[in-house]
Amino acid sequence: MSSVKAWVIREPGAAEQLRLEEVPPPTAKLGWVKIRIRAFGLNRSEWFTRRGDSPSVVFPRVLGIECVGEVLDAGGTDLKVGSRVAAMMGGMGRQFDGSYAELTLVPRACVFELFDGLSWDRLAALPEMLQTTHGSLHKGLQIDAARSLLIRGGTSSIGLAALALSKAKGLRVGVTTRSGRKRGQLEAAGADEVWVDDGQLADRVRSSGVVYDRVLELIGTTTLLDSLHCVSAGGIVCMTGILGGKWTLDGFEPLVDIPSGVKLTAYSGEAADLGQAELTRYVELVETGKLRVPAGPVFDFEQLIDAHRLMDRDEAGGKIVVKGIA
């Protein structure tokens, strides 16, 4: 194979900066796994990178931090050629070229075997979403000791996954949305309370009598200070997302802004935070219908720009998936 197709971005900007090109195939090397990509999910981190908000990323670059597919070259690792695998994070699409391509080459530590009968497009919605959600809930929020959770940014793919996993553990879960039109969708997904969020929610939560001992903050710094006042004393707020589009917190005064007894943490973990056994268990729960994670729209490989435009509009209603080249 003298060349492969890949979506290359040479300078940051709008979705149209992504260009479908013929590029040299990745060269096999020891300890790295070459994967034929069958599908991949889109993630907010790729949106930020595309816009130029990831200063560590050097262009030109093939974006994409996760994929599912088949092993073409195991790079001397324990994997077998032809195995069905998922790959995620570990520098994909940032330090080295990622999944917006026919083929990718990733370190073995980022690769997980898949043992299931789900379709490629269904599988592609799961790996990074489950990894981030699992890490946020267990490493960030210590959810096994919790009784209730507020998800700030409930209609995002991570928000919907967190809702599903938390309800499966028996928690009472409230979620936020900027649009009252999405109330029915969130209630159908299992939300106990749906809050229409204008950025100032704490007073309404406290006056309602509802008590949360955990908050998963997916909007980011634009609502973080308010979220600190939505949790009860002794509770935990974990910032995982930056859907609000702002990385930093201006004028932050910890002694003033963090209520006494409330714990503030963040989660930005790696693939290793979700083990092979845990990913297998989650995928099996999805396959059997015991864990329902709402899926978003599926696009063909040639429609990647349209998929990014949909992400720009924040109208997906679930994880956006792009199919690989047939």
Coordinates of all heavy atoms in Angstrom, one line a residue, residues 64-100:
G64 N -7.9 12.9 16.0 CA -8.6 11.7 16.3 C -7.9 10.9 17.4 O -6.8 10.4 17.3
I65 N -8.6 10.8 18.6 CA -8.0 10.2 19.8 C -8.5 8.8 20.1 O -8.2 8.3 21.1 CB -8.1 11.1 21.0 CG1 -9.6 11.3 21.4 CG2 -7.5 12.5 20.8 CD1 -9.8 11.9 22.8
E66 N -9.4 8.3 19.2 CA -9.8 6.9 19.5 C -10.3 6.3 18.2 O -10.6 7.0 17.2 CB -11.0 6.9 20.5 CG -12.3 7.6 20.0 CD -13.5 7.4 20.9 OE1 -13.6 6.3 21.5 OE2 -14.3 8.3 21.0
C67 N -10.3 4.9 18.2 CA -10.9 4.2 17.0 C -11.1 2.8 17.4 O -10.6 2.3 18.4 CB -9.9 4.3 15.8 SG -8.3 3.4 16.1
V68 N -11.8 2.1 16.5 CA -11.9 0.6 16.6 C -11.6 0.0 15.3 O -11.8 0.7 14.2 CB -13.4 0.1 17.0 CG1 -13.7 0.6 18.5 CG2 -14.4 0.7 16.1
G69 N -11.0 -1.2 15.3 CA -10.6 -1.8 14.0 C -9.9 -3.1 14.2 O -10.1 -3.7 15.2
E70 N -9.1 -3.5 13.2 CA -8.4 -4.7 13.2 C -6.9 -4.6 13.2 O -6.4 -3.7 12.5 CB -8.9 -5.6 12.0 CG -10.3 -5.9 12.0 CD -10.9 -6.0 10.6 OE1 -10.3 -5.5 9.7 OE2 -12.0 -6.6 10.5
V71 N -6.2 -5.4 13.9 CA -4.7 -5.4 13.9 C -4.2 -5.8 12.6 O -4.5 -6.9 12.1 CB -4.2 -6.2 15.1 CG1 -2.7 -6.3 15.0 CG2 -4.7 -5.7 16.4
L72 N -3.4 -5.0 12.0 CA -2.6 -5.3 10.7 C -1.2 -5.8 11.0 O -0.7 -6.6 10.3 CB -2.6 -4.2 9.8 CG -4.0 -3.8 9.1 CD1 -3.8 -2.6 8.1 CD2 -4.6 -5.0 8.4
D73 N -0.6 -5.1 12.0 CA 0.8 -5.5 12.4 C 0.8 -5.3 13.9 O 0.6 -4.2 14.4 CB 1.8 -4.6 11.7 CG 3.2 -5.0 12.0 OD1 3.6 -5.2 13.1 OD2 4.0 -5.2 11.0
A74 N 1.2 -6.3 14.7 CA 1.2 -6.3 16.1 C 2.5 -5.7 16.7 O 2.5 -5.5 17.9 CB 1.0 -7.7 16.7
G75 N 3.5 -5.4 15.9 CA 4.7 -4.7 16.4 C 5.4 -5.5 17.5 O 6.1 -4.9 18.3
G76 N 5.3 -6.8 17.4 CA 6.0 -7.7 18.3 C 5.4 -7.8 19.7 O 5.9 -8.3 20.6
T77 N 4.2 -7.3 19.8 CA 3.4 -7.4 21.1 C 2.7 -8.7 21.2 O 2.7 -9.5 20.3 CB 2.5 -6.2 21.2 OG1 1.4 -6.3 20.3 CG2 3.2 -4.9 20.9
D78 N 1.9 -8.8 22.2 CA 1.1 -10.0 22.5 C -0.2 -10.1 21.6 O -0.8 -11.1 21.6 CB 0.7 -10.1 24.0 CG -0.1 -8.9 24.4 OD1 0.3 -7.8 24.0 OD2 -1.1 -9.1 25.1
L79 N -0.5 -9.1 20.9 CA -1.7 -9.1 20.1 C -1.5 -9.9 18.8 O -0.4 -10.1 18.4 CB -2.1 -7.7 19.7 CG -2.6 -6.7 20.9 CD1 -2.7 -5.3 20.4 CD2 -3.9 -7.2 21.5
K80 N -2.6 -10.4 18.3 CA -2.6 -11.2 17.1 C -3.1 -10.4 15.9 O -4.0 -9.6 16.0 CB -3.4 -12.5 17.2 CG -2.9 -13.4 18.3 CD -3.7 -14.7 18.4 CE -3.2 -15.6 19.4 NZ -4.0 -16.9 19.5
V81 N -2.5 -10.6 14.7 CA -3.0 -10.0 13.5 C -4.4 -10.4 13.3 O -4.8 -11.6 13.4 CB -2.1 -10.3 12.3 CG1 -2.7 -9.8 11.0 CG2 -0.7 -9.8 12.5
G82 N -5.3 -9.5 13.0 CA -6.7 -9.7 12.7 C -7.6 -9.5 14.0 O -8.8 -9.6 13.8
S83 N -7.0 -9.3 15.1 CA -7.8 -9.1 16.4 C -8.6 -7.9 16.3 O -8.1 -6.9 15.7 CB -6.9 -9.1 17.6 OG -6.2 -10.3 17.8
R84 N -9.8 -7.9 16.8 CA -10.6 -6.7 16.9 C -10.2 -5.9 18.1 O -10.1 -6.5 19.2 CB -12.1 -7.1 17.1 CG -12.7 -7.6 15.8 CD -14.0 -8.4 16.1 NE -15.0 -7.7 16.8 CZ -16.0 -7.0 16.2 NH1 -16.1 -6.9 14.9 NH2 -16.9 -6.3 16.9
V85 N -9.9 -4.6 17.9 CA -9.4 -3.8 19.0 C -10.0 -2.5 19.1 O -10.6 -2.0 18.1 CB -7.8 -3.7 18.9 CG1 -7.1 -5.1 19.1 CG2 -7.4 -3.1 17.6
A86 N -9.8 -1.8 20.2 CA -10.1 -0.4 20.4 C -8.7 0.3 20.8 O -7.9 -0.3 21.5 CB -11.1 -0.1 21.4
A87 N -8.5 1.5 20.3 CA -7.4 2.3 20.7 C -7.8 3.7 21.1 O -8.7 4.2 20.5 CB -6.4 2.4 19.5
M88 N -7.2 4.2 22.1 CA -7.6 5.5 22.6 C -6.5 6.2 23.3 O -5.7 5.6 24.0 CB -8.8 5.4 23.5 CG -8.7 4.5 24.7 SD -10.2 4.4 25.6 CE -10.0 2.9 26.5
M89 N -6.4 7.5 23.2 CA -5.6 8.4 23.9 C -4.1 8.1 23.8 O -3.7 7.6 22.8 CB -6.1 8.5 25.4 CG -7.6 8.8 25.5 SD -8.3 8.8 27.1 CE -7.6 10.3 27.8
G90 N -3.4 8.4 24.9 CA -1.9 8.1 24.8 C -1.1 9.0 23.8 O 0.0 8.6 23.5
G91 N -1.7 10.1 23.4 CA -1.0 10.9 22.4 C -1.6 10.9 21.0 O -1.2 11.6 20.1
M92 N -2.6 10.0 20.8 CA -3.2 9.9 19.5 C -3.8 11.3 19.1 O -4.4 11.9 19.9 CB -4.4 8.9 19.5 CG -4.0 7.4 19.5 SD -5.5 6.4 19.5 CE -6.1 6.6 17.8
G93 N -3.5 11.6 17.8 CA -4.1 12.9 17.3 C -3.5 14.1 17.9 O -4.0 15.2 17.5
R94 N -2.5 14.0 18.7 CA -1.9 15.1 19.4 C -0.4 15.1 19.2 O 0.2 15.9 18.5 CB -2.3 15.2 20.8 CG -3.8 15.3 21.0 CD -4.2 15.3 22.5 NE -3.8 16.5 23.2 CZ -4.5 17.6 23.2 NH1 -5.6 17.7 22.5 NH2 -4.0 18.6 23.9
Q95 N 0.3 14.1 19.9 CA 1.7 13.9 19.8 C 2.1 13.2 18.5 O 3.2 13.3 18.0 CB 2.3 13.2 21.0 CG 2.5 14.0 22.2 CD 1.1 14.4 22.9 OE1 0.3 13.5 23.2 NE2 0.9 15.6 23.1
F96 N 1.2 12.3 18.0 CA 1.3 11.6 16.7 C 0.0 11.5 16.0 O -1.0 11.8 16.6 CB 2.0 10.3 16.9 CG 1.2 9.4 17.9 CD1 0.2 8.6 17.5 CD2 1.6 9.4 19.3 CE1 -0.5 7.8 18.4 CE2 0.9 8.6 20.2 CZ -0.1 7.8 19.8
D97 N 0.0 11.2 14.8 CA -1.2 11.2 14.0 C -2.2 10.1 14.5 O -1.9 9.0 15.0 CB -0.9 10.9 12.5 CG -0.3 12.1 11.8 OD1 -0.5 13.2 12.3 OD2 0.3 11.9 10.7
G98 N -3.5 10.5 14.4 CA -4.6 9.7 15.1 C -5.5 9.0 14.1 O -5.0 8.4 13.1
S99 N -6.8 9.0 14.4 CA -7.7 8.1 13.8 C -8.5 8.6 12.6 O -9.2 7.8 12.0 CB -8.7 7.7 14.9 OG -9.4 8.8 15.4
Y100 N -8.3 9.8 12.2 CA -9.0 10.3 11.0 C -8.3 9.8 9.7 O -7.9 10.6 8.9 CB -9.0 11.9 11.0 CG -9.9 12.6 12.0 CD1 -10.5 11.9 13.1 CD2 -10.0 13.9 12.0 CE1 -11.2 12.5 14.1 CE2 -10.8 14.6 13.0 CZ -11.3 13.9 14.0 OH -12.1 14.6 15.0

